[in-house]
Amino acid sequence: MAVRTTPKPLRISLDRSIERMRKQLAELGPFLGKGKPTRSLEEYDMETERLIGDLLGQTSDLLHAYEYAEVGEAAGLVNMTDEAPEGAGTDGQRQSLLQRGRVLESCVSELEARRAAEPKKTKANRQSLIGPQVAEHMSSEIRSLSQDASLREAGQLMQKWKLGSLLLTDQQRYVGFITDSALAREVVANGMNPNTTPVKQCMRAPVIGIEGVRPIIDAVRLMKDQATRHLAVTQDGQIIGVISVSNILRYYSGVV
């Protein structure tokens, strides 16, 4: 069974957090008729809840407000003084989408307020780091799978989620990685049956990690030293994301 976890709030720049929240707000547009959605509303809501929890905390009133907005009941939970009145001709679904947008606007405002109040000393310390941090370019959504799942299931999930690797668990902790290259190599070269072979027979263990506050060049060096294309990103001893060669190449290519 696939396992999804919610990472802890990250100590990364508020500029980056605001950028991510604004992007999420912009991606609500297609659901309001401003383009064609590329995913389901359910997938968008799951990603948005996770983002709000990451950036503002799991106990944030704005996270609760967004959850209420999904059922059209967010008015009054946050400052939404110009909500459309009843009987204005807007159907329930559209009203719910508008409320989602208002919550995300409030999230952006909250992050901007935090940035304005951020001590100058903190900013100076962050700028003293050498280069961008690993956490700023990692994939914060952690996708994982039981080590007892089949190779076929792992391959199907990688294809579905468009990923090159999955973290593997023993139901209590992360124990290794399975990558698309290892999957292809073992199945094709060694003739393993993908329907019956568990992924733990092809996984890379233990998990190799790097602290999210380290400069991205350190990730490059560690990948080279350990002959791996994927690293777990950690904070205070816990995994909060994954960085891959693809993430690093996008950074060096100037692709966001």
Side-chain angles (χ1 to χ4, degrees), residues 69-80:
E70 292 176 44
V71 291
E73 299 176 1
L77 291 177
V78 293
N79 186 20
M80 299 182 182

Side-chain angles (χ1 to χ4, degrees), residues 3-16:
V3 180
R4 300 180 69 176
T5 62
T6 303
K8 295 171 61 179
L10 309 181
R11 290 194 295 263
I12 60 177
S13 74
L14 284 168
D15 288 343
R16 175 66 170 169

Side-chain angles (χ1 to χ4, degrees), residues 61-62 65-66 74-81 83 99 102-103 106:
D61 289 340
L62 289 169
Y66 190 87
L77 291 177
V78 293
N79 186 20
M80 299 182 182
T81 56
E83 281 294 337
Q99 289 184 2
R102 295 293 175 80
V103 174
S106 296

Side-chain angles (χ1 to χ4, degrees), residues 42 90 108 113 147 157 160 163 213 226 244:
E42 181 181 6
T90 315
V108 172
Q147 64 176 349
L157 288 176
K160 174 183 176 181
L163 295 174
V213 296
Q226 298 294 325
S244 68

Side-chain angles (χ1 to χ4, degrees), residues 7-252:
K8 295 171 61 179
L10 309 181
R11 290 194 295 263
I12 60 177
S13 74
L14 284 168
D15 288 343
R16 175 66 170 169
S17 298
I18 292 168
E19 177 188 342
R20 291 174 64 192
M21 193 65 73
R22 287 189 181 279
K23 179 181 178 183
Q24 195 70 10
L25 175 59
E27 290 177 357
L28 182 64
F31 296 103
L32 287 163
K34 302 174 184 178
K36 185 177 180 181
T38 58
R39 53 186 160 171
S40 71
L41 183 57
E42 181 181 6
E43 291 173 325
Y44 175 85
D45 283 337
M46 290 177 64
E47 181 178 307
T48 303
E49 289 177 24
R50 185 166 49 249
L51 181 63
I52 295 173
D54 287 351
L55 302 184
L56 295 174
Q58 292 298 322
T59 60
S60 170
D61 289 340
L62 289 169
L63 178 56
H64 300 316
Y66 190 87
E67 292 169 348
Y68 275 96
E70 292 176 44
V71 291
E73 299 176 1
L77 291 177
V78 293
N79 186 20
M80 299 182 182
T81 56
D82 56 342
E83 281 294 337
E86 292 184 9
T90 315
D91 62 27
Q93 175 69 5
R94 182 173 178 81
Q95 185 66 13
S96 176
L97 289 169
L98 291 172
Q99 289 184 2
R100 286 171 167 87
R102 295 293 175 80
V103 174
L104 290 176
E105 288 171 357
S106 296
C107 289
V108 172
S109 296
E110 171 64 20
L111 290 167
E112 288 177 336
R114 292 185 184 185
R115 179 175 61 181
E118 188 178 44
K120 292 182 179 180
K121 182 178 179 181
T122 301
K123 292 181 179 180
N125 287 343
R126 186 170 59 239
Q127 290 170 354
S128 69
L129 290 172
I130 303 173
Q133 297 176 37
V134 168
E136 293 183 279
H137 296 279
M138 71 180 186
S139 298
S140 58
E141 185 173 29
I142 301 174
R143 299 286 197 176
S144 59
L145 183 68
S146 168
Q147 64 176 349
D148 296 316
S150 69
L151 292 175
R152 178 175 293 279
E153 185 176 357
Q156 289 172 338
L157 288 176
M158 286 186 203
Q159 184 177 41
K160 174 183 176 181
W161 292 328
K162 296 180 173 59
L163 295 174
S165 69
L166 294 170
L167 278 162
L168 300 180
T169 75
D170 62 2
Q171 307 305 324
Q172 295 182 337
R173 61 192 178 92
Y174 296 115
V175 294
F177 267 111
I178 181 70
T179 66
D180 52 2
S181 58
L183 193 64
R185 182 172 59 248
E186 298 297 339
V187 172
V188 176
N190 297 329
M192 290 184 171
N193 186 332
N195 295 310
T196 58
T197 305
V199 288
K200 61 185 176 184
Q201 291 193 21
C202 303
M203 74 178 180
R204 170 156 190 166
V207 175
I208 301 172
I210 185 170
E211 280 287 321
V213 296
R214 298 306 306 160
I216 201 167
I217 189 62
D218 283 3
V220 176
R221 295 187 182 111
L222 186 57
M223 286 181 182
K224 182 177 180 181
D225 290 344
Q226 298 294 325
T228 183
R229 298 168 62 87
H230 304 83
L231 299 172
V233 182
T234 62
Q235 177 181 302
D236 299 328
Q238 296 189 23
I239 294 176
I240 57 172
V242 174
I243 189 165
S244 68
V245 167
S246 296
N247 296 125
I248 293 173
L249 288 176
R250 279 195 294 271
Y251 163 67
Y252 282 113

